[in-house]
Amino acid sequence: MSIPTGTAHSESVVVSEANLASAVGGGLVDVYATPMLVALCELAASNCVKPHLEAGEVTVGTKVDIEHSAASVTGMRVTATATVTAVDRRRVDFSLSVVDEAGEVGKGVHSRFIVDREKFIARAAARKA
């Protein structure tokens, strides 16, 4: 497995009623919810490294540090870009940038670990037992 530093991927969403703060329990305002922004960033990061993984491997998020600095309203397109900044064995670090049509709405860092999907699920299930 080789994931080059600088590898980047973007994901976009159009703000709808379903992903507003008022709809997901993040407050009483009708703007794009911070938890949805975090999820969009994780999706961008996950899809960024997906082509570099071996069969049976996936990534799981382990750290997110995001500043949500501006509000996006219904109908605006929000785009998150994840860029690989470091790879240390199975840990992949990303810088995150989030924009809408009006400019920057967020930025931060994120870490994911590469795991064997089946083993990871088995270990998670064993925690319940």
Side-chain angles (χ1 to χ4, degrees):
M1 167 208 56
S2 176
I3 303 170
T5 301
T7 300
H9 182 80
S10 298
E11 292 288 340
S12 296
V13 66
V14 175
V15 179
S16 68
E17 289 186 19
N19 53 29
L20 297 176
S22 57
V24 300
L28 299 177
V29 291
D30 291 336
V31 298
Y32 191 56
T34 300
M36 304 310 290
L37 182 134
V38 171
L40 186 64
C41 288
E42 285 207 75
L43 179 64
S46 176
N47 285 338
C48 183
V49 297
K50 188 184 260 184
H52 302 279
L53 301 178
E54 296 178 15
E57 290 182 329
V58 296
T59 61
V60 294
T62 58
K63 179 182 178 185
V64 179
D65 184 0
I66 294 178
E67 176 186 348
H68 190 174
S69 57
S72 304
V73 297
T74 303
M76 295 183 86
R77 177 173 296 280
V78 177
T79 301
T81 301
T83 304
V84 175
T85 57
V87 179
D88 182 8
R89 293 172 288 194
R90 302 189 78 69
R91 189 186 79 228
V92 184
D93 297 327
F94 302 86
S95 66
L96 304 169
S97 171
V98 188
V99 299
D100 64 16
E101 293 98 326
E104 182 179 275
V105 297
K107 61 185 176 182
V109 293
H110 178 43
S111 296
R112 300 186 72 77
F113 270 82
I114 300 167
V115 299
D116 177 280
R117 184 182 186 282
E118 296 302 319
K119 289 178 183 176
F120 181 82
I121 291 172
R123 280 192 304 270
R127 292 189 73 235
K128 184 179 179 183

